Amino acid sequence: MRRVNPRTRTPIPATILIFSLGVLLMVALPGAALLELITASTILPAITYGSTIVLYLAVRKRLGRKEGAFDLGRFELPIAICALVWTLIALFVLVTPGEALVSVVIVVGLLLAGGLFFLVMLKFDREALETEPGDAGAFMH
C-alpha cells in the first residue's frame, strides 16, 4: 500500500482500496448511506484536530522557538485550550444525535482498523514507522 506510482506520484493501490471500501459501505448501509459517510467524514477531522491540539499541549514546552516566527506569546495556552474545547463541543454535537449512531460505528471501526494496522506495522515493519516521507525514496519500494 505504500507504493507510489513514479509517473503520477500517487498511491494508486491505496486509492483503489479506499474507493472500494467506500463503494462497499454504500452498498452495505441502508438508504441514507451517503449521509452516514458524510457525517462520519465530519467526525474524523474533528478527532484529528483534537488529537493534534492534545499532542501540542503535551509537547509544547519541549518545542524550539525560531526567532521571527509566528508566536502567540502568553495567549498560546488559552487559545490552545479554547481550540480544544471548541473541538470537543463540535464532536459532541456531531455524535450525540440518534441518527449519528451508524456514523459513529463507522468512525470507531476505522479507528480500530487504523490502530490494528499501526500495531502490525509496529511489530513487523517498525522501520517504515521511523522513516519520514521523502527520506531517500522511503515510499518508492
Side-chain angles (χ1 to χ4, degrees):
M1 287 290 124
R2 67 182 179 191
R3 282 186 300 216
V4 175
N5 183 296
R7 186 178 61 80
T8 63
R9 296 183 173 241
T10 57
I12 292 174
T15 303
I16 291 170
L17 174 67
I18 295 301
F19 174 76
S20 302
L21 288 175
V23 169
L24 274 171
L25 284 172
M26 293 291 287
V27 170
L29 292 175
L34 183 58
L35 182 59
E36 302 296 346
L37 290 175
I38 290 170
T39 305
S41 70
T42 59
I43 295 170
L44 283 169
I47 291 172
T48 303
Y49 299 148
S51 301
T52 303
I53 296 166
V54 168
L55 179 62
Y56 173 75
L57 288 170
V59 301
R60 72 185 188 88
K61 295 285 187 191
R62 292 181 278 172
L63 296 175
R65 305 280 184 208
K66 290 184 179 180
E67 190 172 326
F70 178 77
D71 187 3
L72 292 171
R74 62 187 171 137
F75 296 108
E76 173 187 38
L77 184 59
I79 289 174
I81 291 172
C82 287
L84 182 59
V85 168
W86 178 86
T87 303
L88 291 173
I89 291 170
L91 274 171
F92 178 77
V93 168
L94 289 169
V95 302
T96 53
E99 298 84 16
L101 179 62
V102 174
S103 300
V104 170
V105 170
I106 292 169
V107 169
V108 169
L110 289 171
L111 291 173
L112 289 173
L116 180 63
F117 179 74
F118 175 75
L119 291 174
V120 168
M121 293 296 288
L122 195 61
K123 181 158 179 73
F124 298 108
D125 194 6
R126 190 178 193 111
E127 182 182 334
L129 296 176
E130 295 172 351
T131 305
E132 290 187 34
D135 279 357
F139 291 99
M140 300 292 187
H141 296 325

